PDB file of all heavy atoms in Angstrom:
ATOM      1  N   PHE U  22      10.996  -5.513  -9.107  1.00 97.00           N
ATOM      2  CA  PHE U  22      11.997  -4.794  -8.299  1.00 97.00           C
ATOM      3  C   PHE U  22      11.435  -4.489  -6.913  1.00 97.00           C
ATOM      4  O   PHE U  22      12.066  -4.778  -5.889  1.00 97.00           O
ATOM      5  CB  PHE U  22      12.419  -3.501  -9.011  1.00 97.00           C
ATOM      6  CG  PHE U  22      13.296  -2.618  -8.182  1.00 97.00           C
ATOM      7  CD1 PHE U  22      14.649  -2.903  -8.027  1.00 97.00           C
ATOM      8  CD2 PHE U  22      12.769  -1.502  -7.531  1.00 97.00           C
ATOM      9  CE1 PHE U  22      15.462  -2.090  -7.240  1.00 97.00           C
ATOM     10  CE2 PHE U  22      13.577  -0.689  -6.735  1.00 97.00           C
ATOM     11  CZ  PHE U  22      14.926  -0.981  -6.597  1.00 97.00           C
ATOM     12  N   TYR U  23      10.224  -3.929  -6.856  1.00 97.00           N
ATOM     13  CA  TYR U  23       9.664  -3.566  -5.548  1.00 97.00           C
ATOM     14  C   TYR U  23       9.232  -4.800  -4.757  1.00 97.00           C
ATOM     15  O   TYR U  23       9.217  -4.764  -3.522  1.00 97.00           O
ATOM     16  CB  TYR U  23       8.545  -2.529  -5.697  1.00 97.00           C
ATOM     17  CG  TYR U  23       9.129  -1.159  -5.957  1.00 97.00           C
ATOM     18  CD1 TYR U  23       9.045  -0.566  -7.206  1.00 97.00           C
ATOM     19  CD2 TYR U  23       9.835  -0.492  -4.961  1.00 97.00           C
ATOM     20  CE1 TYR U  23       9.628   0.678  -7.461  1.00 97.00           C
ATOM     21  CE2 TYR U  23      10.437   0.741  -5.197  1.00 97.00           C
ATOM     22  CZ  TYR U  23      10.327   1.316  -6.443  1.00 97.00           C
ATOM     23  OH  TYR U  23      10.930   2.536  -6.668  1.00 97.00           O
ATOM     24  N   GLY U  24       8.922  -5.901  -5.421  1.00 95.00           N
ATOM     25  CA  GLY U  24       8.646  -7.160  -4.724  1.00 95.00           C
ATOM     26  C   GLY U  24       9.872  -7.599  -3.945  1.00 95.00           C
ATOM     27  O   GLY U  24       9.795  -8.000  -2.783  1.00 95.00           O
ATOM     28  N   GLN U  25      11.023  -7.480  -4.600  1.00 94.00           N
ATOM     29  CA  GLN U  25      12.267  -7.853  -3.920  1.00 94.00           C
ATOM     30  C   GLN U  25      12.606  -6.868  -2.807  1.00 94.00           C
ATOM     31  O   GLN U  25      13.132  -7.245  -1.760  1.00 94.00           O
ATOM     32  CB  GLN U  25      13.392  -7.964  -4.944  1.00 94.00           C
ATOM     33  CG  GLN U  25      13.186  -9.212  -5.802  1.00 94.00           C
ATOM     34  CD  GLN U  25      13.975  -9.219  -7.089  1.00 94.00           C
ATOM     35  OE1 GLN U  25      14.663  -8.256  -7.418  1.00 94.00           O
ATOM     36  NE2 GLN U  25      13.877 -10.294  -7.842  1.00 94.00           N
ATOM     37  N   GLU U  26      12.251  -5.604  -3.017  1.00 95.00           N
ATOM     38  CA  GLU U  26      12.515  -4.579  -1.997  1.00 95.00           C
ATOM     39  C   GLU U  26      11.670  -4.797  -0.738  1.00 95.00           C
ATOM     40  O   GLU U  26      12.168  -4.638   0.371  1.00 95.00           O
ATOM     41  CB  GLU U  26      12.200  -3.167  -2.565  1.00 95.00           C
ATOM     42  CG  GLU U  26      13.262  -2.652  -3.498  1.00 95.00           C
ATOM     43  CD  GLU U  26      14.581  -2.400  -2.799  1.00 95.00           C
ATOM     44  OE1 GLU U  26      14.691  -1.430  -2.046  1.00 95.00           O
ATOM     45  OE2 GLU U  26      15.519  -3.204  -2.992  1.00 95.00           O
ATOM     46  N   ILE U  27      10.380  -5.162  -0.903  1.00 95.00           N
ATOM     47  CA  ILE U  27       9.550  -5.349   0.308  1.00 95.00           C
ATOM     48  C   ILE U  27      10.013  -6.580   1.083  1.00 95.00           C
ATOM     49  O   ILE U  27       9.959  -6.611   2.295  1.00 95.00           O
ATOM     50  CB  ILE U  27       8.017  -5.385   0.027  1.00 95.00           C
ATOM     51  CG1 ILE U  27       7.620  -6.475  -0.966  1.00 95.00           C
ATOM     52  CG2 ILE U  27       7.498  -4.035  -0.404  1.00 95.00           C
ATOM     53  CD1 ILE U  27       6.105  -6.694  -1.063  1.00 95.00           C
ATOM     54  N   LYS U  28      10.496  -7.572   0.342  1.00 94.00           N
ATOM     55  CA  LYS U  28      11.028  -8.774   1.005  1.00 94.00           C
ATOM     56  C   LYS U  28      12.319  -8.422   1.753  1.00 94.00           C
ATOM     57  O   LYS U  28      12.488  -8.740   2.920  1.00 94.00           O
ATOM     58  CB  LYS U  28      11.277  -9.835  -0.074  1.00 94.00           C
ATOM     59  CG  LYS U  28      11.785 -11.167   0.416  1.00 94.00           C
ATOM     60  CD  LYS U  28      10.658 -12.074   0.848  1.00 94.00           C
ATOM     61  CE  LYS U  28      11.153 -13.354   1.472  1.00 94.00           C
ATOM     62  NZ  LYS U  28      11.544 -14.353   0.510  1.00 94.00           N
ATOM     63  N   ARG U  29      13.215  -7.708   1.037  1.00 93.00           N
ATOM     64  CA  ARG U  29      14.509  -7.330   1.603  1.00 93.00           C
ATOM     65  C   ARG U  29      14.339  -6.426   2.829  1.00 93.00           C
ATOM     66  O   ARG U  29      15.099  -6.510   3.793  1.00 93.00           O
ATOM     67  CB  ARG U  29      15.333  -6.599   0.522  1.00 93.00           C
ATOM     68  CG  ARG U  29      16.803  -6.413   0.819  1.00 93.00           C
ATOM     69  CD  ARG U  29      17.480  -5.566  -0.256  1.00 93.00           C
ATOM     70  NE  ARG U  29      16.829  -4.288  -0.488  1.00 93.00           N
ATOM     71  CZ  ARG U  29      16.909  -3.241   0.324  1.00 93.00           C
ATOM     72  NH1 ARG U  29      17.634  -3.288   1.414  1.00 93.00           N
ATOM     73  NH2 ARG U  29      16.272  -2.117   0.050  1.00 93.00           N
ATOM     74  N   SER U  30      13.329  -5.570   2.788  1.00 93.00           N
ATOM     75  CA  SER U  30      13.098  -4.626   3.890  1.00 93.00           C
ATOM     76  C   SER U  30      12.345  -5.251   5.056  1.00 93.00           C
ATOM     77  O   SER U  30      12.035  -4.559   6.029  1.00 93.00           O
ATOM     78  CB  SER U  30      12.286  -3.423   3.393  1.00 93.00           C
ATOM     79  OG  SER U  30      12.788  -2.937   2.194  1.00 93.00           O
ATOM     80  N   GLY U  31      11.971  -6.523   4.942  1.00 93.00           N
ATOM     81  CA  GLY U  31      11.258  -7.181   6.043  1.00 93.00           C
ATOM     82  C   GLY U  31       9.799  -6.757   6.160  1.00 93.00           C
ATOM     83  O   GLY U  31       9.178  -6.929   7.208  1.00 93.00           O
ATOM     84  N   LEU U  32       9.249  -6.195   5.072  1.00 94.00           N
ATOM     85  CA  LEU U  32       7.835  -5.772   5.120  1.00 94.00           C
ATOM     86  C   LEU U  32       6.894  -6.943   4.834  1.00 94.00           C
ATOM     87  O   LEU U  32       5.693  -6.858   5.096  1.00 94.00           O
ATOM     88  CB  LEU U  32       7.586  -4.641   4.107  1.00 94.00           C
ATOM     89  CG  LEU U  32       8.344  -3.343   4.390  1.00 94.00           C
ATOM     90  CD1 LEU U  32       8.323  -2.411   3.180  1.00 94.00           C
ATOM     91  CD2 LEU U  32       7.750  -2.625   5.598  1.00 94.00           C
ATOM     92  N   VAL U  33       7.442  -8.013   4.259  1.00 93.00           N
ATOM     93  CA  VAL U  33       6.690  -9.265   4.056  1.00 93.00           C
ATOM     94  C   VAL U  33       7.631 -10.433   4.357  1.00 93.00           C
ATOM     95  O   VAL U  33       8.856 -10.276   4.348  1.00 93.00           O
ATOM     96  CB  VAL U  33       6.161  -9.438   2.605  1.00 93.00           C
ATOM     97  CG1 VAL U  33       5.111  -8.411   2.265  1.00 93.00           C
ATOM     98  CG2 VAL U  33       7.288  -9.406   1.587  1.00 93.00           C
ATOM     99  N   PHE U  34       7.044 -11.583   4.594  1.00 89.00           N
ATOM    100  CA  PHE U  34       7.824 -12.814   4.804  1.00 89.00           C
ATOM    101  C   PHE U  34       7.308 -13.856   3.825  1.00 89.00           C
ATOM    102  O   PHE U  34       6.113 -13.878   3.508  1.00 89.00           O
ATOM    103  CB  PHE U  34       7.669 -13.300   6.249  1.00 89.00           C
ATOM    104  CG  PHE U  34       8.160 -12.276   7.230  1.00 89.00           C
ATOM    105  CD1 PHE U  34       7.297 -11.341   7.769  1.00 89.00           C
ATOM    106  CD2 PHE U  34       9.506 -12.211   7.569  1.00 89.00           C
ATOM    107  CE1 PHE U  34       7.765 -10.361   8.646  1.00 89.00           C
ATOM    108  CE2 PHE U  34       9.973 -11.235   8.440  1.00 89.00           C
ATOM    109  CZ  PHE U  34       9.095 -10.317   8.976  1.00 89.00           C
ATOM    110  N   GLY U  35       8.191 -14.723   3.353  1.00 85.00           N
ATOM    111  CA  GLY U  35       7.778 -15.776   2.424  1.00 85.00           C
ATOM    112  C   GLY U  35       7.138 -15.176   1.181  1.00 85.00           C
ATOM    113  O   GLY U  35       7.629 -14.207   0.615  1.00 85.00           O
ATOM    114  N   THR U  36       6.011 -15.753   0.774  1.00 84.00           N
ATOM    115  CA  THR U  36       5.338 -15.260  -0.440  1.00 84.00           C
ATOM    116  C   THR U  36       4.155 -14.361  -0.083  1.00 84.00           C
ATOM    117  O   THR U  36       3.371 -14.002  -0.939  1.00 84.00           O
ATOM    118  CB  THR U  36       4.825 -16.436  -1.292  1.00 84.00           C
ATOM    119  OG1 THR U  36       3.873 -17.174  -0.499  1.00 84.00           O
ATOM    120  CG2 THR U  36       5.949 -17.349  -1.725  1.00 84.00           C
ATOM    121  N   TRP U  37       4.024 -14.014   1.212  1.00 90.00           N
ATOM    122  CA  TRP U  37       2.874 -13.189   1.597  1.00 90.00           C
ATOM    123  C   TRP U  37       2.994 -11.769   1.049  1.00 90.00           C
ATOM    124  O   TRP U  37       4.060 -11.332   0.669  1.00 90.00           O
ATOM    125  CB  TRP U  37       2.720 -13.158   3.117  1.00 90.00           C
ATOM    126  CG  TRP U  37       1.925 -14.322   3.606  1.00 90.00           C
ATOM    127  CD1 TRP U  37       0.564 -14.400   3.683  1.00 90.00           C
ATOM    128  CD2 TRP U  37       2.418 -15.581   4.042  1.00 90.00           C
ATOM    129  NE1 TRP U  37       0.185 -15.637   4.149  1.00 90.00           N
ATOM    130  CE2 TRP U  37       1.300 -16.368   4.381  1.00 90.00           C
ATOM    131  CE3 TRP U  37       3.692 -16.118   4.181  1.00 90.00           C
ATOM    132  CZ2 TRP U  37       1.422 -17.676   4.853  1.00 90.00           C
ATOM    133  CZ3 TRP U  37       3.818 -17.405   4.646  1.00 90.00           C
ATOM    134  CH2 TRP U  37       2.697 -18.173   4.980  1.00 90.00           C
TER     135      TRP U  37
END
Side-chain angles (χ1 to χ4, degrees):
F22 172 78
Y23 283 108
Q25 288 163 357
E26 283 294 287
I27 57 170
K28 182 85 186 279
R29 193 185 54 75
S30 314
L32 296 166
V33 293
F34 300 92
T36 61
W37 274 275

